[in-house]
Amino acid sequence: MIRLLRRYFYPSWIRSGRVVIGLLIVLAVLAAAILAPVLAPHDPAEQDLMLTFQPMRLGSPFPLGTDGLGRCVLSRLLHGASLALKVAFIAAIGAMLLGAALAYAAGYLGGWVDWTIGRAVDVWMSFPPVVLSLILMVGLGTGASNVILAIILVDWTRFCRVLRSEVLVVTRRDHVAAARLLGFTHWRTLLLEVVPATIPLLITLLALEMGIAVVVEAILSFVGLGVKPDQVAWGQMIADGREAIYQAPANLLAPVAAIFVTVAGFNLLGDGLRRTLDVRLVEGRG
Amino acid sequence: MSLLVARGLTLEAEVEGDIVPVFRGLNFALEPGRVLGLVGESGAGKSMVGRTIAQLLPPGFRVSHGTMEFDGADLVAMAPEHRRSLLGREIAFIPQEPLTALNPVLSIGAQLDEHHRRLGVRGRRTLREYALAALAAVHLPDPAGLLSRYPHQLSGGQCQRVLIAMAFAGHPRLVIADEATTALDVTTQAHIIALMRELQRASNTAVLFITHDLRLAAGVCDDVAVMYAGDIVEIGPAAQVLGASRHPYTRCLQLANPPMLGTRRALYALPEQMPGLRALARLNGCRFAPRCPVKADYCLRIDPPLEGDLHRSACLRPGLVETIEVADQLAPPPWRPAGETPVLALDHVSKTFTTGTWPRAVEVAAVRGVSLRIAPGEFVAVVGESGSGKSTLGRLVVGLEQPSAGRIALAGTDVTAGDEAARLHRVATVQMVFQDPQSALNPRRRVASIITQALEAEGAKFAVREKRVRALLAEMGMPLELGVRMPGQLSGGQRQRVNIARALCSVPRLLVADEIVSGLDVSVQAQLLLLLHRLRQDHDFALLFISHDLSVVRHLCDRVLVMHGGEIVEEGPTETVFGWPRHEYTRTLLAAVPR
């Protein structure tokens, strides 16, 4: 009877408030990033040393004020969004591809492949992630593509570990064995019987990883090991705004708020998707 | 005076905003010292009776009318504190899953002490004495050693004994056993039942024995109440209800149960399945009428009252119950010429597993030196208890495990190597039907896609697959619309049919079926057995049927192999082995089956 009740209570992911709010935030940030050249009142690099540390005032030419070099904070914030999102999307997808490929290999093939990949992940995860990414940045040099590479090289383990256990569970299900008995090749079995069952988890991890990538990019930019100095990045804005916290607090608070909202959006989306897509949470086994 | 009385108990459930009547005025009484069996298939509402007593109803369920009286006090209206003081003391429960019912992080001693403290026992030494006495009462060897053990170190049967010890510790007046032996092996079940009977007689306890197994109920219970879709359709002394049924449902259930004694008769397969909770709202009159073989038009309108003196039944046409019959004889298996190449030949096959890691690796032999032959078209059963190696044997045959020693040949070709050539030969000759359709069917594929997966592997065109879908669904007796459904939208019986259809799609010469009817209701089981008999007449395949259920094996298979500890201890024609068992273990197994 309970199974019947559950079957009738068929939740669709859109019904989750978390997913809707998270998606709206991410879409808003994405729109800001794409439309930054149109929306921004000024060129983000345009300096006016006569108008430094202007206060926040709606209706003025500088709604969020200006920084120490007289650059428009709002314009820089909008342009910073495009870098943050670019890094978030590419780095998260890159980490997913690397981590997932190894996770499928480890979980499906098992045996010594699993053992080797598992130990590699162990070793990799024993480095503190921030330190590892800083070392990588020092070695690779600054620049947006190097930030992305550093995030991929650090965070693939997150995907690998979580996904591997899921792949292991799915691979042990009888329908995977049945597919092999019916003459499916390994490749086909993996692609048609194992991968589809792990897609919800993958999407969830991807959304969460995007939030993490935004934070890591901000950290690297904050310490000056992120993008090149002529590119706008939120982390860099925080580093600059730190010194003028009393004259123009918006210089610090605006990028902090931007990071907070973006990461919250990704996390809400990820959490919402986990709750609605994860079969174990929705149906149980009863 | 009766100990437990249900008077016009009406239970309602809220399903998607509608109020559905689950129980429509349930009436029964349980006298002190008697055992009342509640029998019926899943969804009949048996467990809801137990849950009403404890007031542990699922969300949305509530008692709208009537009372459930324990010793004259209504358990439904009673203050929760009062009820809680009765539960565990006056009323005790024996749960279905012994391993999950015990706390895995506390030792057996700690859990017994906790229970005894609740019953008012104080003092460390006294608690220990009580715990030892409780374990001794359920005939557990070495009670002192057991106290410091944890549930996972005990077998299922031992855990169930501990739970029975707890249930009877407070000298309860009522014990509710909800499918207490379903998860156990048949020989363990026999011991547990004997133990429960002994304790029940000793302390004159009343037992509400909830089970789906009619034969078990016949052996254990004084009185039996048969439930169907929330109604008690027949109630009375066990011998009369199960011996001279007056309700068509009881009669059909008994005819659907393969007998352990007498001739191998045909089974009665009730069409369809029990209505779900949602469907109850639309059912007026007799709820069994839509499936009833002797219904009349008025049955669908009039709700039959429970009539009779001692043996009461709720049927408007009780005189017709006797007319429900099945054929006395099974159709003989199709004739085969002798001396064909066996479709499966195992020679001294062994399989050892290594558990643990070096240097503590331990080799466990699951299968030891098994040799067998299966002729084309022959139905052979492998029986044994859990851990006897019968499932490993099945997996060795289909190639999911590779043998450690010995030789496996399929239709004359050696496949021991397990290489690509062997795999392709296996794909063409042998298929497996898995036990649990929940796990065996990809929840993301539609039925049509699942049952033609073999064609997909060959790269067949869509038109070819569509044609095969039509043929297979028709053969399985399923409507064509089911082809577009997802496995989650099917009933248990339908899922198992899909499971069988997928294996039959590539027309294998040997089918390995691992416990494919266990866990299904009797009427669904009968439908599937009937289907297998029919498929055997139409197709040319041999069956290796792995099962723990001897009555099903007796009904379906020509030959039986008894496995114990990884070895085949006895083999021969089913009738011979079951009629004149020679090995000690076979005798134990047969003696444990309730009949």
Side-chain angles (χ1 to χ4, degrees):
Chain A
M1 282 190 199
I2 292 166
R3 189 184 302 173
L4 215 87
L5 281 173
R6 279 204 184 115
R7 198 191 299 168
Y8 278 103
F9 177 67
Y10 216 85
S12 136
W13 61 270
I14 203 76
R15 264 188 232 165
S16 157
R18 287 162 202 269
V19 175
V20 174
I21 295 171
L23 206 59
L24 283 178
I25 293 175
V26 171
L27 287 177
V29 178
L30 189 67
I34 291 168
L35 299 175
V38 187
L39 291 175
H42 300 273
D43 184 332
E46 187 190 298
Q47 301 181 4
D48 187 344
L49 294 175
M50 299 301 289
L51 286 172
T52 59
F53 295 130
Q54 290 289 305
M56 254 171 81
R57 210 175 72 229
L58 282 177
S60 76
F62 303 104
L64 288 177
T66 58
D67 65 3
L69 294 171
R71 293 175 296 193
C72 172
V73 172
L74 179 63
S75 305
R76 290 177 70 72
L77 205 60
L78 291 171
H79 279 93
S82 73
L83 177 80
L85 287 192
K86 191 171 93 182
V87 170
F89 285 131
I90 301 177
I93 289 171
M96 179 191 82
L97 290 179
L98 181 62
L102 290 171
Y104 287 125
Y108 183 77
L109 297 174
W112 64 269
V113 180
D114 187 23
W115 191 90
T116 314
I117 293 174
R119 294 302 81 74
V121 171
D122 284 344
V123 170
W124 212 256
M125 283 181 107
S126 61
F127 293 110
V130 174
V131 175
L132 183 60
S133 48
L134 287 177
I135 294 170
L136 281 170
M137 286 312 292
V138 170
L140 296 166
T142 55
S145 50
N146 287 343
V147 171
I148 291 170
L149 193 60
I151 295 174
I152 292 174
L153 288 178
V154 172
D155 276 352
W156 65 271
T157 51
R158 209 185 293 272
F159 282 92
C160 194
R161 174 135 305 174
V162 178
L163 197 60
R164 176 207 162 253
S165 49
E166 179 80 4
V167 172
L168 211 62
V169 171
V170 176
T171 303
R172 283 191 191 145
R173 288 221 283 257
D174 287 340
H175 65 79
V176 178
R180 283 291 290 162
L181 295 183
L182 290 164
F184 274 36
T185 56
H186 276 304
W187 188 240
R188 215 188 167 105
T189 310
L190 183 65
L191 227 54
L192 292 176
E193 301 290 319
V194 179
V195 173
T198 57
I199 293 289
L201 179 69
L202 214 54
I203 293 172
T204 305
L205 284 176
L206 191 66
L208 293 175
E209 179 59 30
M210 285 179 184
I212 293 165
V214 170
V215 173
V216 173
E217 185 266 326
I219 292 173
L220 293 176
S221 304
F222 180 80
V223 298
L225 284 171
V227 294
K228 299 235 159 38
D230 55 334
Q231 271 182 296
V232 194
W234 288 342
Q236 220 168 33
M237 289 174 72
I238 295 174
D240 294 343
R242 215 167 21 143
E243 286 147 32
I245 178 86
Y246 296 112
Q247 295 104 304
N251 266 327
L252 179 71
L253 297 181
V256 168
I259 292 170
F260 174 80
V261 169
T262 312
V263 174
F266 280 125
N267 284 355
L268 278 174
L269 184 63
D271 196 37
L273 286 174
R274 185 180 66 82
R275 280 158 190 264
T276 48
L277 294 180
D278 195 329
V279 196
R280 284 163 303 179
L281 284 171
V282 177
E283 294 167 18
R285 261 186 71 85
Chain B
M1 190 192 147
S2 301
L3 185 67
L4 183 75
V5 189
R7 268 187 245 273
L9 187 73
T10 306
L11 184 68
E12 290 179 343
E14 201 180 324
V15 187
E16 289 176 357
D18 291 343
I19 300 288
V20 179
V22 182
F23 295 156
R24 303 180 294 185
L26 217 56
N27 289 302
F28 67 84
L30 175 56
E31 310 298 325
R34 304 272 292 179
V35 180
L36 172 66
L38 276 185
V39 301
E41 297 176 286
S42 56
K46 318 182 289 283
S47 293
M48 280 303 149
V49 175
R51 280 168 161 248
T52 310
I53 292 168
Q55 283 291 298
L56 287 172
L57 293 169
F61 284 70
R62 79 187 175 86
V63 174
S64 59
H65 302 289
T67 56
M68 176 74 91
E69 285 163 30
F70 175 73
D71 203 14
D74 184 11
L75 287 162
V76 180
M78 185 181 286
E81 299 79 44
H82 188 192
R83 191 187 309 122
R84 223 174 294 139
S85 71
L86 287 176
L87 297 177
R89 294 191 179 94
E90 304 272 291
I91 306 174
F93 287 82
I94 302 173
Q96 177 170 9
E97 294 280 339
L99 281 168
T100 51
L102 287 167
N103 187 340
V105 298
L106 290 181
S107 67
I108 300 298
Q111 299 190 49
L112 281 170
D113 287 352
E114 188 186 332
H115 188 67
H116 283 131
R117 261 196 297 269
R118 226 196 128 226
L119 296 173
V121 183
R122 293 289 178 272
R124 265 181 64 181
R125 200 164 298 155
T126 330
L127 277 171
R128 188 177 159 82
E129 275 167 23
Y130 268 80
L132 289 175
L135 293 179
V138 290
H139 309 308
L140 277 166
D142 184 23
L146 266 180
L147 290 180
S148 57
R149 299 250 234 147
Y150 288 86
H152 71 269
Q153 296 170 309
L154 271 61
S155 70
Q158 286 174 319
C159 283
Q160 196 61 289
R161 276 166 198 263
V162 172
L163 286 162
I164 290 174
M166 283 188 183
F168 283 93
H171 303 288
R173 294 163 70 195
L174 171 67
V175 167
I176 296 153
D178 189 354
E179 301 276 7
T181 57
T182 307
L184 304 174
D185 271 323
V186 61
T187 50
T188 321
Q189 165 174 301
H191 289 141
I192 294 289
I193 293 293
L195 174 70
M196 264 171 58
R197 266 309 233 180
E198 177 196 325
L199 291 175
Q200 180 261 334
R201 289 212 178 98
S203 52
N204 204 32
T205 312
V207 175
L208 191 62
F209 192 82
I210 301 172
T211 183
H212 68 279
D213 191 336
L214 284 166
R215 262 199 295 265
L216 185 63
V220 175
C221 305
D222 303 314
D223 303 296
V224 163
V226 182
M227 290 192 74
Y228 182 85
D231 288 337
I232 288 181
V233 295
E234 187 165 5
I235 185 168
Q240 286 187 33
V241 171
L242 300 173
S245 312
R246 284 197 210 146
H247 195 279
Y249 178 60
T250 321
R251 172 94 179 155
C252 289
L253 270 189
Q254 288 205 290
L255 292 177
N257 233 336
M260 269 313 277
L261 300 168
T263 53
R264 288 166 67 187
R265 58 166 169 81
L267 301 183
Y268 191 88
L270 270 173
E272 298 174 45
Q273 48 173 341
M274 191 172 310
L277 196 54
R278 194 87 185 80
L280 289 185
R282 279 174 275 120
L283 274 181
N284 293 317
C286 174
R287 281 176 170 173
F288 181 62
R291 294 172 77 193
C292 183
V294 294
K295 65 166 178 280
D297 288 342
Y298 56 81
C299 287
L300 294 159
R301 293 191 304 273
I302 304 163
D303 181 14
L306 209 50
E307 279 173 336
D309 189 17
L310 256 180
H311 177 188
R312 293 177 294 160
S313 79
C315 185
L316 297 169
R317 323 178 81 195
L320 292 173
V321 171
E322 293 286 315
T323 63
I324 307 171
E325 274 175 344
V326 289
D328 284 345
Q329 292 283 313
L330 281 176
W335 178 83
R336 309 277 323 186
E340 286 177 289
T341 319
V343 66
L344 174 72
L346 299 189
D347 285 307
H348 309 290
V349 170
S350 297
K351 175 69 187 174
T352 48
F353 290 104
T354 317
T355 59
T357 46
W358 187 88
R360 279 192 211 83
V362 182
E363 297 232 310
V364 182
V367 175
R368 307 167 201 236
V370 166
S371 299
L372 66 94
R373 296 274 180 286
I374 296 182
E378 196 183 14
F379 276 24
V380 178
V382 179
V383 299
E385 293 180 79
S386 49
S388 62
K390 55 190 196 312
S391 285
T392 309
L393 187 70
R395 293 176 71 87
L396 282 167
V397 170
V398 297
L400 288 173
E401 304 284 355
Q402 301 307 322
S404 314
R407 195 177 147 273
I408 301 178
L410 276 169
T413 311
D414 193 313
V415 291
T416 317
D419 52 9
E420 194 58 21
R423 192 176 84 85
L424 292 176
H425 181 66
R426 276 201 168 101
V427 167
T429 44
V430 62
Q431 277 304 322
M432 182 152 184
V433 186
F434 291 88
Q435 171 175 11
D436 176 16
Q438 189 107 19
S439 154
L441 304 179
N442 188 342
R444 287 171 177 77
R445 275 178 184 264
R446 295 192 184 279
V447 168
S449 157
I450 291 172
I451 59 178
T452 54
Q453 250 179 301
L455 293 174
E456 186 182 329
E458 292 164 12
K461 292 218 169 58
F462 180 76
V464 179
R465 290 182 70 177
E466 199 200 342
K467 221 176 119 192
R468 196 85 184 96
V469 168
R470 284 171 192 280
L472 278 170
L473 283 177
E475 211 155 68
M476 295 296 138
M478 298 206 291
L480 196 58
E481 309 85 272
L482 286 185
V484 295
R485 297 261 186 94
M486 297 298 219
Q489 296 168 301
L490 303 179
S491 70
Q494 287 171 332
R495 274 186 220 164
Q496 206 54 284
R497 277 164 205 250
V498 170
N499 213 351
I500 296 172
R502 172 176 61 187
L504 284 178
C505 177
S506 58
V507 200
R509 298 196 56 200
L510 172 67
L511 206 60
V512 178
D514 190 355
E515 299 278 10
I516 57 169
V517 293
S518 65
L520 295 175
D521 281 322
V522 189
S523 64
V524 178
Q525 173 182 294
Q527 290 170 9
L528 278 174
L529 292 175
L530 209 67
L531 176 73
L532 283 171
H533 273 301
R534 212 185 59 229
L535 290 170
R536 182 181 200 179
Q537 302 290 343
D538 300 348
H539 296 271
D540 179 41
F541 67 93
L543 179 72
L544 182 64
F545 188 78
I546 299 163
S547 179
H548 69 277
D549 191 333
L550 300 185
S551 61
V552 169
V553 164
R554 182 172 183 263
H555 175 77
L556 187 67
C557 297
D558 318 323
R559 202 148 61 84
V560 62
L561 311 166
V562 183
M563 267 189 100
H564 181 55
E567 287 170 345
I568 292 180
V569 295
E570 183 160 1
E571 83 166 281
T574 314
E575 294 289 319
T576 319
V577 172
F578 284 10
W580 298 273
R582 275 190 294 186
H583 194 274
E584 191 55 42
Y585 178 71
T586 317
R587 279 192 216 123
T588 325
L589 212 55
L590 283 164
V593 179
R595 26 195 103 199

